[in-house]
Amino acid sequence: VLRWLEEAQRYPDMGSYLDSLIDAPSSTWPMDRLVREARESAQTSSRGTPRADAEQAVRRSMIQAAFLFQLVLGINVRTQDILDRERLIHAALTAQLALFANVPNAPLEGSPLSRLVLARDLLLQRVDELHAFETARSRIELRYFDGARVDFRAAREAWSLQLRLARESAVLAIRAAELDGADPPAKPDSALFEARVTKLAADLVEPAKAKAYNELGDGRNGHAIAVAWLATWVRTQIAQTAAGSGRTL
């Protein structure tokens, strides 16, 4: 999988890489290729072992290869979705910041200042969200890919730019609200941040596992994983709603 990832990342983004496969033989498509190579490798390393053990090792290797491929694909798709959304959110929030940072002072409640504070807090939340996803992705890369980056060059550059813009806008918002007499923003909640990182990682890993089982014809395992992940997600949403205090990520 790491060898394949290195080949794929010679292209600037996932779209360019997939375009290169359109006219290629189906045997070279990544999913088929990786599962086939995993099967052949496991068969070679299992020679001389009991048949049942060899079959289990081969099956496990194929599922692992399919899982890692689905994980790479899911991370890259999710990264692009986040970038597209964050650009729109950032544009809206910075427009609000510019609007309410240039009005006369007024009491905080129901005033332009209250909206300035709201824009500030939302900008800080966007920085938190970008950091949380970045942390979740890094942990996945460390655990499953020996620390190798799984995103493509174009997404990496776009992510760095978006994070820089989010940070700069948040700093400007903090200063503008401070000059207008607002209280400082709430301190980050490390427990909430860690919970968000854990959830984001699970949102990437668990669906990839389910898809791997389904792709290889073991739909029961894939369904069980998907149901367990969904139940965990629902419990997390309920817990976060019940908490309802502190800095929301």
Side-chain angles (χ1 to χ4, degrees):
V1 172
L2 290 175
R3 286 198 305 270
W4 160 74
L5 187 58
E6 185 177 356
E7 294 172 11
Q9 288 176 334
R10 293 171 187 166
Y11 294 85
D13 53 55
M14 178 67 82
S16 300
Y17 168 66
L18 295 177
D19 286 343
S20 73
L21 300 174
I22 292 177
D23 297 323
S26 59
S27 60
T28 64
W29 292 354
M31 184 71 170
D32 295 342
R33 168 191 164 186
L34 292 174
V35 171
R36 182 180 66 253
E37 290 180 355
R39 182 185 67 244
E40 293 170 352
S41 176
Q43 288 172 339
T44 299
S45 62
S46 299
R47 286 175 183 168
T49 62
R51 180 174 179 178
D53 293 342
E55 289 177 350
Q56 184 179 13
V58 169
R59 180 71 176 169
R60 184 167 55 246
S61 182
M62 292 169 62
I63 291 174
Q64 181 72 356
F67 160 65
L68 293 177
F69 170 73
Q70 291 291 347
L71 191 52
V72 170
L73 190 63
I75 288 174
N76 279 281
V77 170
R78 185 71 179 275
T79 296
Q80 191 58 54
D81 288 346
I82 290 175
L83 284 171
D84 292 341
R85 185 181 70 241
E86 290 299 323
R87 290 187 187 107
L88 294 174
I89 294 174
H90 183 262
L93 290 177
T94 50
Q96 290 289 310
L97 178 62
L99 177 64
F100 295 112
N102 294 302
V103 295
N105 290 339
L108 186 60
E109 291 75 20
S111 70
L113 180 55
S114 68
R115 299 182 185 183
L116 173 59
V117 169
L118 177 60
R120 177 202 67 188
D121 292 345
L122 291 174
L123 283 166
L124 285 169
Q125 288 174 20
R126 301 332 303 163
V127 175
D128 286 343
E129 183 70 9
L130 290 170
H131 276 303
F133 184 82
E134 195 171 50
T135 302
R137 190 204 65 233
S138 296
R139 291 182 184 178
I140 289 172
E141 290 167 341
L142 184 62
R143 178 174 179 181
Y144 295 105
F145 301 97
D146 294 338
R149 292 286 295 263
V150 302
D151 52 351
F152 283 68
R153 183 175 66 254
R156 206 172 299 170
E157 294 171 353
W159 189 275
S160 295
L161 174 61
Q162 188 61 41
L163 182 56
R164 179 174 62 81
L165 292 174
R167 285 171 172 166
E168 291 175 351
S169 298
V171 170
L172 287 173
I174 291 171
R175 182 57 177 159
E178 182 183 79
L179 290 173
D180 279 355
D183 292 332
K187 293 182 179 180
D189 188 318
S190 58
L192 282 177
F193 180 80
E194 186 61 31
R196 182 60 177 160
V197 170
T198 300
K199 181 181 180 301
L200 287 169
D203 288 348
L204 293 166
V205 171
E206 300 308 321
K209 287 181 180 178
K211 289 178 182 178
Y213 278 107
N214 288 332
E215 288 284 348
L216 295 179
D218 196 348
R220 289 175 300 175
N221 279 341
H223 177 73
I225 291 171
V227 169
W229 166 73
L230 180 59
T232 301
W233 181 85
V234 170
R235 287 195 296 269
T236 301
Q237 293 298 109
I238 293 173
Q240 289 179 344
T241 302
S245 61
R247 188 154 149 197
T248 302
L249 299 181

